[in-house]
Amino acid sequence: MSFVFVSGDLALDFAATRKWRRRPDPDELLPTGADLARWSVEAGVLTRPPRVGPEDLRDLLTLRESVYRLLHPDAAPPRPSDVRVLNRAAAHPGPRPSLTPDGVRRTGDAPALAAAIAGAALTLLESRPPIRECAGEDCTRLFVDRSRAGNRTWCGMEECGNRVKAASYRARRAASA
């Protein structure tokens, strides 16, 4: 399975690895450390997958939930526990870039991955771009709205936008028949 990166920001794409949050059984896209390691490479944070143990996985998934709550457009005042989780992750050194004959390589371990995600979340919290939640019926993905008019509705056309437009088309066709 490949991951989807449509949120416009590393921290939001990481938060999107738990889908359909309002459903009784949300989809977990990172059930194992190997999945998380693969995500880190597909997201472009690291060049090679890091070793992710059970404790690392637990810490990163805790970070993911804190990031989601802190960045949600309807967020209540931050929970002190979420602030602690984010600051703890940000305190670690991030991925180490180096130039090789094959190009730039980024190496690091699970805490370095967490630091990169926390740094991205802190940048969003500081710069306060318009963050929206997808208007898809069950979708809970957050994204940065960089549309010219500031009225982006869906996380992405591939998944939610096409689904909504196809349902609307079918409803119009049924009504005219």
Side-chain angles (χ1 to χ4, degrees):
M1 163 191 27
S2 287
F3 298 101
V4 176
F5 301 93
V6 296
S7 298
D9 185 84
L10 174 67
L12 297 178
D13 281 328
F14 185 59
T17 60
R18 185 167 190 209
K19 295 174 58 177
W20 321 115
R21 290 168 177 268
R22 286 187 284 276
R23 290 183 180 173
D25 57 339
D27 285 357
E28 175 58 68
L29 302 181
L30 303 175
T32 69
D35 294 314
L36 181 54
R38 190 168 45 82
W39 181 90
S40 74
V41 173
E42 287 188 34
V45 180
L46 300 172
T47 308
R48 289 190 313 238
R51 200 175 123 256
V52 180
E55 188 173 313
D56 297 323
L57 179 62
R58 185 196 71 231
D59 290 348
L60 277 152
L61 294 183
T62 299
L63 174 63
R64 178 188 65 189
E65 297 311 304
S66 291
V67 164
Y68 185 82
R69 285 188 294 270
L70 289 165
L71 295 176
H72 196 282
D74 298 328
R79 295 179 185 180
S81 60
D82 289 336
V83 172
R84 278 192 303 276
V85 166
L86 188 66
N87 287 336
R88 188 176 14 203
H92 291 282
R96 292 172 302 283
S98 61
L99 184 60
T100 70
D102 298 324
V104 175
R105 183 175 59 179
R106 290 168 305 286
T107 58
D109 53 9
L113 172 60
I117 293 163
L122 287 165
T123 298
L124 285 176
L125 288 165
E126 181 179 40
S127 63
R128 299 193 180 274
I131 297 174
R132 313 238 188 279
E133 183 178 68
C134 181
E137 185 176 341
D138 288 330
C139 187
T140 55
R141 182 178 279 139
L142 304 178
F143 60 89
V144 177
D145 182 359
R146 291 193 175 97
S147 65
R148 185 178 302 159
N151 61 354
R152 182 175 160 191
T153 305
W154 302 293
C155 60
M157 284 304 294
E158 297 274 325
E159 195 169 339
C160 292
N162 282 340
R163 187 177 302 131
V164 170
K165 286 185 172 198
S168 176
Y169 173 77
R170 285 191 299 275
R172 283 192 314 272
R173 295 271 302 185
S176 68

